Amino acid sequence: QVQLVESGGGLVQPGGSLRLSCAASGSIFRINSMGWYRLGSGNERELVARITSEGITNYAESVKGRFSISRDNAKKVDLQMYGLRPEDTAVYYCHSNLKVSLATPEKDYWGQGTQVTVSS
């Protein structure tokens, strides 16, 4: 059973920093990508940042230059967030596209979500 376990998040003042971490556990054959999405007040889940197994990164335009995603190891990623703004307030979900065996197709997995609130 694959699980994505998130940590970090919380309340921070505008301009502050937070670090989110996500660790994948379970029987995993290959991780294609790991990253973070968020669900804000608009109720639309948007990609925040993603990193592939080759180290290629993608960021939402709104977070470029402020957020940085990195791999701690093959099954763990960190999202360092600087210069946080009230509009960054959202539930952040860890996501991974992976295969549990050579014979099975790749599949998307999600964490349970962690709240990030940016407010004075």
Side-chain angles (χ1 to χ4, degrees), residues 88-114:
D88 295 317
T89 295
V91 179
Y92 285 68
Y93 294 89
C94 181
H95 165 268
S96 182
N97 180 269
L98 57 86
K99 290 169 68 75
V100 297
S101 72
L102 180 62
T104 56
E106 55 196 33
K107 183 180 174 183
D108 291 323
Y109 291 83
W110 297 90
Q112 292 199 332
T114 185

Side-chain angles (χ1 to χ4, degrees), residues 12 14-15 38-42 46 48 62-63 66-67 83-92 115-119:
V12 65
R38 66 187 180 189
L39 185 65
S41 58
E46 65 166 343
V48 177
S62 61
V63 307
R66 300 188 296 124
F67 291 11
L84 283 161
R85 305 167 180 168
E87 53 264 39
D88 295 317
T89 295
V91 179
Y92 285 68
Q115 178 70 45
V116 171
T117 301
V118 185
S119 175

Side-chain angles (χ1 to χ4, degrees), residues 11-53:
L11 173 64
V12 65
Q13 291 187 340
S17 302
L18 279 176
R19 187 180 190 88
L20 304 181
S21 295
C22 176
S25 64
S27 179
I28 298 171
F29 174 72
R30 185 182 72 226
I31 292 177
N32 296 320
S33 68
M34 289 186 75
W36 294 88
Y37 286 71
R38 66 187 180 189
L39 185 65
S41 58
N43 272 333
E44 288 189 10
R45 189 174 291 187
E46 65 166 343
L47 172 68
V48 177
R50 175 177 56 209
I51 185 166
T52 70
S53 58

